[in-house]
Amino acid sequence: MHETLPRQLLSREETAWVNPCRLSADAANTLCDLILPETEIRAAEERLLRFAPYLRQVFPETAEYNGLIESPLREIPVMRRKLCDHAIIPGRLFLKMDSHLPIAGSVKARGGIYEVLKHAEDLALQAGLLSCTDDYTRLTGLRDFFGRYTIQVGSTGNLGLSIGIMGAALGFRVKVHMSADARPWKKDLLRSHGVEVLEYADTYSHAVAAGRKLSDADPMSYFVDDEKSTDLFLGYAAAAARLQIQLTDAGITVDREHPLLVYIPAGVGGAPGGITYGLKRLFGDNVHCFFAEPVTCPSVLLGMATRKHEALQVQDYGFTGKTEADGLACPSPSGFVTRIMTPMLSGIFTTADRNLYEYLRLLYKTEGIEIEPSACAGFTGVKNLLRHGETVKYCVANGLTEPVLKNAVHIVWATGGNLVPADIRKIYRVTYL
Ligand SMILES: *Cc1c(COP(=O)(O)O)cnc(C)c1O
């Protein structure tokens, strides 16, 4: 199996892998519709609309988007000019600022919060305490009811924050099983919300397994399973239609002559996978989705390239799995995601930790935007698209050459950072200097 993997990958140099199994968007969407139908994405979008009045009331910071958990799409032209030392990136560069999503300050505010809301709705509907046509602000009166139930989740940090903050707001008891990679400030913040944090001196996969086992033993407990959940995935997929509106509002068309290239950091793959799933349905072959992973923990890349999916750990291939990008420190990928991405993902870039901090500093200096290290991984894609041989070939094969590339819109998906305390931000800005 090893010989099918790029040498640079195995020697932990930055590289790019292009997915040889990608199909035309039509074929991919038709195939995947059998696994997770489009109607389910619509249902997720509608569910989030039902909850909007409730969220608006309980989290006033969602008022800007009328109770939807949404983030700005911002053009970052100065960063574009400074990102590559010599060359200028052809096309426009945007940052999708999920780093600044309300409530949880990371992309997990899409998937994680969606799954908690869905669970709460299911329970309340079953108990006859809610109907889908109600004004959902009435959920504020059901805290005692939800307090009889527990939600548990394994997390490297951000998923725990989204599940914990949302779950606690609804009234649930929440237990978050944190891997050794989790940053202490994330644990402290959760505890301040009344969430129980259980700490493990082991990897993410281990924390998930421990949480799953404890939850399964308790009939009143629900486990948010990052490695398997389709609800999380749907919460992420709902981002696509919102992005489409933002692009339209910005006067941006996406078509053959104006391609969209999206670069999203991947841990187990759920967040980038769900977003990609939604985007491929809306933009078809005109959107090119790439993931980004640490050179020391490329679990989704390995899962897809070897087709072993979830049946591997990065350590099996000599990787440490250790990275400063705590949000991406997942030694095994989600097999659900690696399978459903097989016909649609364009490829995966890997990045060295050191460069994450370079991007973090540069974004702060050029645009005044602060995000966390994991959230910077997407920059490796736009920076190296035309530097790695594999992706250059991809561009040529897919009509991404001049003059089309000059019309391209690149979106780097910033996946977290807004909750990082000020003293830690300062440390980030001088790390690896
Ligand atoms: C969770 C997370 C990701 C990746 O999401 P997965 O679903 O694990 O692939 C990326 N960036 C940040 C900051 C995250 O917290």
Side-chain angles (χ1 to χ4, degrees):
M1 246 350 178
H2 282 42
E3 54 276 18
T4 64
L5 296 168
R7 180 193 58 77
Q8 290 97 326
L9 177 76
L10 294 169
S11 53
R12 275 155 276 134
E13 290 162 47
E14 293 197 341
T15 187
W17 169 80
V18 167
N19 175 15
C21 299
R22 193 175 56 104
L23 302 176
S24 75
D26 272 352
N29 288 336
T30 307
L31 190 66
C32 290
D33 211 64
L34 302 171
I35 307 167
L36 195 63
E38 170 124 33
T39 48
E40 298 231 9
I41 305 179
R42 296 290 95 78
E45 290 164 2
E46 279 159 27
R47 181 167 288 111
L48 288 166
L49 283 172
R50 288 200 290 279
F51 273 96
Y54 167 79
L55 289 175
R56 201 188 154 127
Q57 180 169 329
V58 178
F59 296 99
E61 69 261 40
T62 61
E64 194 184 338
Y65 292 98
N66 276 319
L68 293 182
I69 300 167
E70 200 37 79
S71 76
L73 175 70
R74 189 162 135 190
E75 185 157 24
I76 45 172
V78 191
M79 180 77 174
R80 168 178 171 259
R81 283 199 296 279
K82 295 283 160 65
L83 185 58
C84 295
D85 320 319
H86 302 297
I88 266 247
I89 296 156
R92 292 168 75 180
L93 179 60
F94 287 77
L95 192 69
K96 179 56 180 160
M97 294 175 64
D98 277 6
S99 46
H100 291 66
L101 279 174
I103 306 175
S106 83
V107 69
K108 305 294 193 306
R110 297 187 185 277
I113 290 181
Y114 173 74
E115 181 152 353
V116 171
L117 296 177
K118 177 163 187 293
H119 180 56
E121 187 184 56
D122 287 345
L123 289 175
L125 289 173
Q126 275 162 26
L129 297 169
L130 182 74
S131 108
C132 281
T133 51
D134 281 345
D135 174 348
Y136 275 31
T137 53
R138 65 177 295 145
L139 290 168
T140 53
L142 297 185
R143 288 186 48 88
D144 288 345
F145 168 71
F146 291 128
R148 288 161 38 202
Y149 297 90
T150 303
I151 299 179
Q152 305 197 46
V153 63
S155 176
T156 64
N158 285 340
L159 184 62
L161 283 178
S162 81
I163 305 286
I165 295 173
M166 190 66 241
L170 280 157
F172 285 103
R173 297 177 49 188
V174 187
K175 294 185 186 182
V176 178
H177 303 263
M178 288 277 201
S179 63
D181 316 279
R183 309 256 176 179
W185 69 263
K186 292 184 180 175
K187 300 177 191 170
D188 295 343
L189 181 58
L190 273 174
R191 291 190 174 114
S192 78
H193 281 263
V195 171
E196 189 180 336
V197 177
L198 295 96
E199 301 179 63
Y200 297 83
D202 211 323
T203 65
Y204 177 65
S205 304
H206 184 87
V208 171
R212 195 187 280 135
K213 194 168 156 202
L214 276 174
S215 186
D216 287 350
D218 176 357
M220 296 298 275
S221 176
Y222 177 83
F223 188 64
V224 176
D225 200 327
D226 196 19
E227 292 177 339
K228 300 191 173 123
S229 166
T230 50
D231 284 330
L232 276 174
F233 192 82
L234 287 166
Y236 295 123
R242 313 247 193 97
L243 180 72
Q244 186 178 39
I245 294 170
Q246 289 182 322
L247 287 168
T248 307
D249 288 349
I252 294 166
T253 10
V254 177
D255 58 27
R256 226 183 132 70
E257 274 68 51
H258 304 82
L260 181 63
L261 291 93
V262 184
Y263 313 88
I264 322 170
V268 295
I275 294 166
T276 296
Y277 199 68
L279 290 175
K280 288 307 274 187
R281 289 179 172 278
L282 297 176
F283 299 111
D285 290 320
N286 301 321
V287 65
H288 305 267
C289 297
F290 293 92
F291 292 177
E293 296 191 284
V295 290
T296 50
C297 194
S299 52
V300 178
L301 195 167
L302 289 172
M304 291 185 73
T306 65
R307 296 186 214 167
K308 289 192 181 171
H309 304 289
E310 74 286 345
L312 62 75
Q313 300 200 67
V314 296
Q315 286 82 358
D316 303 341
Y317 294 81
F319 297 94
T320 61
K322 294 209 185 318
T323 169
E324 300 271 334
D326 52 333
L328 315 181
C330 306
S332 291
S334 156
F336 167 68
V337 172
T338 52
R339 284 181 183 86
I340 206 162
M341 281 297 106
T342 293
M344 47 179 81
L345 188 67
S346 293
I348 302 179
F349 290 88
T350 61
T351 175
D353 281 6
R354 165 179 289 279
N355 286 331
L356 295 177
Y357 288 94
E358 291 299 323
Y359 303 140
L360 186 147
R361 268 190 286 280
L362 198 58
L363 185 65
Y364 178 65
K365 241 171 40 192
T366 58
E367 308 282 351
I369 301 172
E370 294 180 85
I371 62 178
E372 64 185 83
S374 302
C376 297
F379 283 111
T380 194
V382 67
K383 176 166 180 169
N384 294 311
L385 180 72
L386 299 178
R387 294 185 177 194
H388 293 311
E390 283 296 300
T391 42
V392 168
K393 272 191 264 171
Y394 175 94
C395 287
V396 172
N398 289 280
L400 298 174
T401 47
E402 296 302 343
V404 171
L405 211 48
K406 273 213 176 69
N407 302 328
V409 165
H410 304 269
I411 297 181
V412 168
W413 213 284
T415 44
N418 203 30
L419 295 186
V420 179
D423 52 331
I424 311 248
R425 292 177 189 214
K426 269 196 205 144
I427 296 170
Y428 283 166
R429 290 205 290 274
V430 295
T431 304
Y432 283 113
L433 258 187

